[in-house]
Amino acid sequence: MATSTFLLSLAVIPLLVCGQTTSIPAPGQPTRVGVLGQFEVIGESLVSAQQLFLGTENDVFLVDKVENNPTRIGGHPTWASGWTLDSNAQRPMDAITNSFCAGGNVMGNGTWVNVGGNQAVTYGGAAAASQNGGGPYDDPDGRQSLLNPCDDGKCDWFLSPVSADQRWYPTVETLEDGSVIILGGCRNGGYVNSANQDNPTYEFFPPKGASITLSILQRTLPANLFPLTWLLPSGRLLIQSNWETVLYDYKKQKETPLDNIPDAVRVYPASAGTAMLPLTPANNWTATILFCGGSNVKTNQWLDPDWIIPRYPASTSCVRITPDISTSYEHDDPLPEQRSMGNLIFLPDGKILCLNGAKMGTAGYGNQSWAIDMSYADSPTLTPAIYDPAAPAGERWSRDGLGASKIPRMYHSSAVLLPDGSVFVSGSNPNSDYNVGPDINYPTEYRTERFYPSYYNSRRPQPIGILSQLSYGGPSFTISLNSDDLFGNVDNVKNTTVIVIRPGFSTHAMNMGQRFVQLENTYTGYASNNSAVLHVSQLPPNPAILAPGPALVFVVVNGVPSVGVQIMAGSGTLEKQAILSIGDLPESSVTPTDVAHAMSQTSGARSVGKRPQLLFCVAVLLGWVAGVW
């Protein structure tokens, strides 16, 4: 019996390999029309979106801190919810523990992890009598909660079965095997950190042993919370905290110092906007990190009792670093206006939307007499800006055609890219508890918006042949575009790209895990009917470029993206990812092929899109039968 079970398991191997290569039905058109360059209020959320992420193509999940939200679940206020995009329907969810100032990210199997958070609290954010639940909010001390997203409204948060260290303000980054690394934080909260509560360590989830001390976090008190961290293509981590920057080899536990960041502190609570710029074939998928805004605060100034924070101007400085190549920062075009707490959100056309934040002050809140109600920031930045990394220096920022929001998005605001290419914007709550009313400058905010980029109302490409799962290397595949997709001109295939975006976990002006990766492609265009076939490589054979897990794929024609479809990068399992040989791509060409042949190419696109995968599966099956597998 054991032998037959073993043989059966072997027989499943080629089926699993071939099962990874199914294509997704062609995406359609957006279901709404927006005013280009403008915000639209689409409803009020059930919780204030301190944290949010896109869990499925049709569902955004919001997480708040524990507070007295009017919506209730299980006899206490709710502090988590789901928002279904096509219907704007919402439902309360039970986050169980206090998620205040938690970090998060998605693992390689598609499970989202919410890490850290606050102690149990009662009214006004005061410590609860018991850290094990009970009282008006029934919110045990927060540690690690998990969610497997769904579209049917039946999923909910559940607690990790393994214990975790106590961390407020931790950073979470997904690694090459789909697990996550959890860095830093403090044990009891506060505006900034202090030596008596610092947690200058990192750990892994799922666990891989005891927490490990990280020297940069010990050196960079008190502004070392939410350390800005990215997995680089080299497999090392870039970590930026207070004024210091290091490369960290977590496998060897080795720090390599880089230059200090110039002009401003970028970590919380200075809270610059940050993003890894697009990883493309043109730059050989080399990582450059952009930092914009923040505050020029000296280390001894953070705890100065005479410092009136909301009167302190934020920075306009933008700098970038390419840490696998250079130890030094370079100045980039400055922001159009000073900004703290700005979010940098990738758009599928390769540009970056900067929105939310304030001109004065920093993140945080308190009861000081100089606070604006409770806010440590003032003068909200209501008008977004667009950064174009492909533009020449001096011309990268633009506000052409962009309108202002009417809603201040201050501390605890979030934003995330949606599959239709609009941006979901929610949150703002510089208050210790639910606080609304006509006399409150910056209330607990529930109004939720969409922002519509310039391409939004265009007819979208409807590519056929996008794969549901992408491997690291492996056989190339084909995507078919008809004349409508190419806007009636076959030459537009020359300006067509296949883009993979992970929108990330949005909180505190960060989108943890956000990535933009362009796949390599060539094309065959058919001039007689203005159709084309893209020949597309899988992901680069390096999971440090895009860690395993769900992501969105867009096909972008002349700057107009298709509606994004959710795919799985990698195996869908927490494991060392298979690295495959890169499939060949034919030379690009445009041929005057007769109409009948070109039409057969597009009408049979689903079979065309699968042909390389079909051959690969046949090879795998034959290899298994021959005893190679």
Side-chain angles (χ1 to χ4, degrees):
M1 179 65 180
T3 302
S4 62
T5 302
F6 175 70
L7 291 175
L8 179 60
S9 68
L10 284 180
V12 170
I13 291 174
L15 300 179
L16 290 175
V17 173
C18 295
Q20 294 176 358
T21 59
T22 57
S23 61
I24 295 173
Q29 300 297 312
T31 58
R32 58 202 304 135
V33 175
V35 179
L36 301 183
Q38 306 293 321
F39 294 86
E40 177 192 11
V41 176
I42 59 172
E44 293 202 357
S45 57
L46 301 182
V47 303
S48 190
Q50 182 184 115
Q51 305 152 33
L52 64 83
F53 58 91
L54 179 72
T56 74
E57 288 180 11
N58 198 34
D59 287 272
V60 171
F61 295 90
L62 295 77
V63 181
D64 196 357
K65 70 178 189 293
V66 171
E67 59 182 329
N68 201 19
N69 289 311
T71 301
R72 303 181 72 80
I73 187 171
H76 60 77
T78 186
W79 57 92
S81 64
W83 186 306
T84 300
L85 295 170
D86 60 3
S87 63
N88 272 351
Q90 299 180 67
R91 65 182 178 99
M93 300 176 70
D94 191 355
I96 307 174
T97 65
N98 191 350
S99 48
F100 182 24
C101 292
N105 216 321
V106 65
M107 296 192 292
N109 60 357
T111 297
W112 288 83
V113 57
N114 185 285
V115 177
N118 197 187
Q119 62 185 333
V121 298
T122 183
Y123 299 117
S130 169
Q131 291 299 301
N132 298 315
Y137 292 167
D138 190 20
D139 58 321
D141 181 13
R143 296 297 171 93
Q144 287 176 355
S145 298
L146 305 173
L147 178 70
N148 293 313
C150 63
D151 283 319
D152 61 8
K154 296 180 180 179
C155 54
D156 213 334
W157 290 94
F158 61 97
L159 295 183
S160 166
V162 296
S163 61
D165 209 347
Q166 188 176 22
R167 301 177 188 273
W168 282 32
Y169 311 101
T171 300
V172 185
E173 180 72 343
T174 310
L175 300 176
E176 300 99 315
D177 64 355
S179 66
V180 297
I181 186 170
I182 305 162
L183 304 101
C186 59
R187 300 187 185 281
N188 302 304
Y191 176 53
V192 290
N193 207 348
S194 58
N196 64 352
Q197 64 154 343
D198 189 22
N199 190 347
T201 69
Y202 64 89
E203 60 185 300
F204 300 96
F205 185 81
K208 300 178 183 178
S211 296
I212 299 169
T213 299
L214 193 56
S215 297
I216 184 177
L217 299 182
Q218 294 178 310
R219 297 192 305 270
T220 52
L221 285 167
N224 68 351
L225 301 174
F226 281 137
L228 298 168
T229 305
W230 291 266
L231 176 66
L232 300 171
S234 64
R236 296 176 292 181
L237 299 173
L238 176 73
I239 303 176
Q240 204 287 309
S241 180
N242 206 343
W243 294 95
E244 288 196 33
T245 312
V246 300
L247 278 178
Y248 187 68
D249 188 331
Y250 70 91
K251 296 167 187 172
K252 298 180 180 178
Q253 300 179 24
K254 180 182 178 182
E255 278 189 21
T256 301
L258 306 181
D259 291 353
N260 282 358
I261 198 165
D263 302 336
V265 175
R266 313 293 176 157
V267 295
Y268 167 88
S271 298
T274 60
M276 181 182 287
L277 295 182
L279 299 160
T280 70
N283 62 30
N284 197 29
W285 299 282
T286 301
T288 296
I289 318 298
L290 178 70
F291 305 78
C292 285
S295 297
N296 184 0
V297 181
K298 303 306 178 187
T299 298
N300 62 0
Q301 188 174 352
W302 288 109
L303 296 173
D304 183 349
D306 297 323
W307 184 31
I308 301 177
I309 299 171
R311 296 183 188 173
Y312 196 79
S315 176
T316 61
S317 164
C318 289
V319 296
R320 56 164 71 187
I321 189 169
T322 306
D324 280 335
I325 293 177
S326 172
T327 63
S328 299
Y329 287 90
E330 299 177 357
H331 281 90
D332 207 333
D333 294 0
L335 288 164
E337 60 187 337
Q338 58 211 40
R339 193 183 300 244
S340 171
M341 298 176 286
N343 279 90
L344 297 185
I345 305 296
F346 271 122
L347 303 177
D349 63 0
K351 298 177 182 177
I352 299 174
L353 175 69
C354 178
L355 75 172
N356 300 343
K359 300 181 188 72
M360 305 293 292
T362 70
Y365 63 75
N367 292 312
Q368 291 89 346
S369 61
W370 44 254
I372 312 300
D373 300 324
M374 296 188 75
S375 175
Y376 284 1
D378 200 8
S379 300
T381 43
L382 300 174
T383 303
I386 300 266
Y387 176 89
D388 184 354
E395 301 177 18
R396 291 180 179 142
W397 286 105
S398 173
R399 283 183 157 172
D400 294 346
L402 303 182
S405 171
K406 295 181 173 61
I407 303 172
R409 300 287 183 190
M410 310 282 277
Y411 187 40
H412 293 155
S413 301
S414 297
V416 73
L417 176 71
L418 298 181
D420 69 356
S422 65
V423 177
F424 188 96
V425 190
S426 196
S428 187
N429 189 20
N431 301 283
S432 62
D433 206 332
Y434 173 73
N435 190 17
V436 299
D439 298 327
I440 306 300
N441 289 284
Y442 306 123
T444 303
E445 186 61 69
Y446 298 98
R447 288 173 293 174
T448 297
E449 299 168 294
R450 285 199 191 205
F451 174 81
Y452 299 103
S454 59
Y455 52 69
Y456 188 80
N457 292 337
S458 301
R459 193 272 183 193
R460 304 299 188 89
Q462 296 185 188
I464 297 173
I466 297 173
L467 299 184
S468 61
Q469 196 158 13
L470 294 175
S471 57
Y472 296 102
S476 61
F477 60 100
T478 57
I479 293 174
S480 296
L481 301 168
N482 66 23
S483 178
D484 290 337
D485 300 328
L486 294 173
F487 306 108
N489 185 348
V490 70
D491 285 337
N492 285 331
V493 74
K494 300 173 184 177
N495 192 28
T496 297
T497 54
V498 182
I499 302 299
V500 184
I501 294 180
R502 178 161 293 145
F505 179 97
S506 183
T507 189
H508 288 77
M510 300 172 289
N511 280 60
M512 298 183 189
Q514 182 178 221
R515 292 292 190 279
F516 181 112
V517 176
Q518 179 183 335
L519 302 183
E520 190 162 19
N521 76 273
T522 59
Y523 56 81
T524 301
Y526 302 99
S528 56
N529 72 343
N530 293 307
S531 68
V533 172
L534 301 177
H535 312 282
V536 188
S537 289
Q538 304 264 357
L539 289 165
N542 177 1
I545 291 174
L546 180 73
L552 297 175
V553 171
F554 299 86
V555 175
V556 184
V557 180
N558 258 8
V560 177
S562 65
V563 171
V565 294
Q566 192 173 74
I567 61 93
M568 179 61 73
S571 67
T573 302
L574 305 185
E575 62 183 1
K576 183 177 181 180
Q577 300 295 302
I579 305 300
L580 307 176
S581 298
I582 300 172
D584 293 333
L585 296 177
E587 293 291 328
S588 293
S589 64
V590 175
T591 64
T593 306
D594 64 277
V595 173
H597 175 69
M599 288 299 293
S600 71
Q601 292 289 320
T602 54
S603 64
R606 284 182 174 80
S607 60
V608 169
K610 290 184 176 180
R611 189 167 297 140
Q613 287 71 44
L614 178 60
L615 293 174
F616 176 65
C617 291
V618 169
V620 170
L621 287 166
L622 290 174
W624 176 76
V625 170
V628 175
W629 289 79

